Amino acid sequence: MARRRERRGEPSQDRRKDRVGPATREEKLNDSDASERKLIGIFILFFIIIPAVSVLVYVYKYGSGTKRLEPVITERGPIKTDINFQEILTENTNVAGNESQRNYDYPVLAYITPWNSKGYEMAKRFNSKFTHLSPVWYDLKSHGNSLILEGRHNADKGWISELRMRGNALILPRIVLEAFPTELLKKKKQMDKAIDLMVTECKEMEYDGIVLESWSRWAAYGVLHNPDLRNMALKFIKQLGHALHSVASTRNPKQQLQLVYVVGPPHSDALQQHDFGPADLQSLSGSVDGFSLMTYDFSGPNNPGPNAPLNWIRFTLRLLLGSTGNNAQRLAPKIFLGINFYGNDFILSED
């Protein structure tokens, strides 16, 4: 019996041995097919599905505002290359779309001037579309050996109250620094006094911060051509920013008072000592919440032409932001790009 079992067993072992070869080749082919399918799957996942999902997420998050605006713009047809002044005068008072819905998620600042009362009404009407409103009210001036902040008589508390009832836009009045710069920057007491005046005004009037304009004044006085005074000027802005950030907003205790600083465009790609450049932007970025970049007034009576040509605006931004690395991407959201709502009519025959 034992031998019979052995004899019956031997052929079966041989048969198993005969089956090993073909089975292994099939398995190899199956493994090869599986590997190819796996590689194809990985390729599809990483090079087709993930990019497609990323694009959809980006469009949903960042492109929705543009999609909402596009039909309105194309229907009304204001985008033209061949346009005359009469069309501009007719179009400028028209409003596209909803008056309260925001189409973008980035900050928007609007200046309101006392000499144009319509601006006050427009600010109330479109309050929800703005994040920052800056009424042009104040001047900080030298008064003998002291300093004085002028402009509270311009402040309209009733208007501010109406704004805050209608929306959440921050109120940051503009202050122009008219004080003698050499006295202000060289004397610590003067510097401290100037900062105290501005911070105290924010507290007493319940502002959300200020917009400061001083760089163009300092350039006119020749202060920025002096390296020591230039460094003192940057130091003053930093101290003002830190002082404002140390104070909580009256309306929202969790929010600091903000500082937006006005800067002008460089006049050429070869930056001059008085120009506000990439190094200054980097230096102040930790102390300033936003930079109001004046990308308008490109032409003037001595050089008639466009007010804000697009190529010049792009050039200015590239120059100010420096390289296109992470640093530029980090600082770009802090820039309020200036858009003018006016034009100039040059009469060439009369110079």
Side-chain angles (χ1 to χ4, degrees), residues 193-346:
K193 177 64 176 176
I195 292 173
D196 181 65
L197 283 171
M198 290 184 275
V199 174
T200 300
E201 190 70 6
C202 286
K203 291 178 180 178
E204 293 181 357
M205 297 296 289
E206 298 185 355
Y207 296 138
D208 299 298
I210 64 168
V211 174
L212 180 68
E213 182 173 342
S214 66
W215 198 266
S216 59
R217 269 48 178 190
W218 289 338
Y221 274 101
V223 167
L224 302 175
H225 293 83
N226 183 315
D228 292 333
L229 286 175
R230 198 181 192 286
N231 288 332
M232 291 178 185
L234 292 171
K235 181 181 177 183
F236 172 80
I237 301 167
K238 290 178 184 178
Q239 287 188 6
L240 174 60
H242 294 322
L244 288 167
H245 292 163
S246 67
V247 178
S249 168
T250 305
R251 287 196 303 156
N252 183 3
K254 295 182 180 180
Q255 183 174 287
Q256 309 166 324
L257 297 184
Q258 294 189 12
L259 172 62
V260 173
Y261 191 64
V262 179
V263 298
H267 295 285
S268 70
D269 54 357
L271 291 173
Q272 304 299 309
Q273 183 70 18
H274 62 274
D275 285 329
F276 188 92
D280 302 311
L281 186 71
Q282 173 66 33
S283 175
L284 297 179
S285 62
S287 310
V288 175
D289 300 285
F291 296 89
S292 179
L293 179 61
M294 299 168 61
T295 40
Y296 41 86
D297 289 343
F298 175 78
S299 304
N302 297 324
N303 182 31
N307 195 314
L310 186 57
N311 287 338
W312 172 67
I313 292 176
R314 288 172 174 157
F315 160 79
T316 300
L317 283 170
R318 285 195 296 266
L319 193 61
L320 183 60
L321 289 171
S323 64
T324 57
N326 293 332
N327 192 47
Q329 293 177 5
R330 180 178 61 86
L331 295 176
K334 285 199 169 191
I335 295 177
F336 291 97
L337 180 68
I339 300 176
N340 61 295
F341 284 103
Y342 63 91
N344 296 311
D345 186 9
F346 299 105

